[in-house]
Amino acid sequence: MIIVRTKYLPPSRNYTAINLFGVFFVHPDVKITKRLINHESIHTAQMRELLYLPFYIIYLLEWFIRLFFRGNAYFNISFEREAYDNEYDYHYLEKRKHYAWIKYVKKKKKKRKKKPRKRFRRKLNKYYKHNG
């Protein structure tokens, strides 16, 4: 991976780095960590399997669609979700299957806590009434 330090890319100071066609652009004051390199390496793998240009088309299309959903559109893009979920797994690229980002396309479902059964809730309520 080629790493280029420049104050012009990424254009916004909100982002520390950007990966364009496998070239990693970083602001001069940003510390390059193993985690950051791994995150961008995951994006490079995604780009390669989609032959680069389709990656950017899908990325922008998905970002635009996710603007209309609840939450941050950037963090809900399937490519970003895969990269963020696995950026601390430094052996992820060795075991990653092709098109692994597809399973991240579906919106995340929040896990709900199961409510206790009614009969059990009644017992709890009686217990707390008597034992205060």
Side-chain angles (χ1 to χ4, degrees), residues 26-46:
V26 188
H27 286 291
D29 56 333
V30 171
K31 182 180 177 186
I32 299 173
T33 62
K34 194 174 180 181
R35 178 199 57 82
L36 188 60
I37 289 174
N38 194 42
H39 179 96
E40 296 304 331
S41 295
I42 293 169
H43 285 316
T44 301
Q46 295 165 341

Side-chain angles (χ1 to χ4, degrees), residues 70-81:
R70 183 180 299 161
N72 186 313
Y74 166 76
F75 287 110
N76 286 323
I77 296 171
S78 56
F79 298 119
E80 292 299 339
R81 287 177 50 203

Side-chain angles (χ1 to χ4, degrees), residues 17-30:
I18 190 170
N19 185 345
L20 297 174
F21 299 96
V23 180
F24 183 40
F25 294 94
V26 188
H27 286 291
D29 56 333
V30 171

Side-chain angles (χ1 to χ4, degrees), residues 23-128:
V23 180
F24 183 40
F25 294 94
V26 188
H27 286 291
D29 56 333
V30 171
K31 182 180 177 186
I32 299 173
T33 62
K34 194 174 180 181
R35 178 199 57 82
L36 188 60
I37 289 174
N38 194 42
H39 179 96
E40 296 304 331
S41 295
I42 293 169
H43 285 316
T44 301
Q46 295 165 341
M47 289 177 208
R48 281 189 194 137
E49 69 192 10
L50 289 170
L51 304 176
Y52 294 94
L53 193 56
F55 169 83
Y56 292 104
I57 293 169
I58 294 168
Y59 191 100
L60 290 173
L61 230 146
E62 190 174 355
W63 173 78
F64 181 74
I65 291 168
R66 297 216 184 257
L67 282 174
F68 301 100
F69 288 93
R70 183 180 299 161
N72 186 313
Y74 166 76
F75 287 110
N76 286 323
I77 296 171
S78 56
F79 298 119
E80 292 299 339
R81 287 177 50 203
E82 179 190 7
Y84 278 111
D85 281 358
N86 299 293
E87 65 187 6
Y88 286 103
D89 182 357
Y90 300 118
H91 299 286
Y92 177 69
L93 288 173
E94 297 166 9
K95 60 187 174 191
R96 180 183 182 269
K97 294 181 181 174
H98 287 292
Y99 302 100
W101 56 271
I102 290 175
K103 69 180 180 183
Y104 292 92
V105 172
K106 290 184 179 178
K107 187 76 175 156
K108 275 193 274 190
K109 292 181 182 177
K110 290 186 178 181
K111 291 184 179 180
R112 290 177 37 193
K113 290 183 180 179
K114 290 185 178 180
K115 291 182 181 178
R117 294 187 313 261
K118 283 185 180 180
R119 188 177 64 196
F120 183 70
R121 279 187 284 170
R122 277 190 231 122
K123 282 183 180 179
L124 278 178
N125 289 339
K126 283 181 185 178
Y127 174 79
Y128 284 111

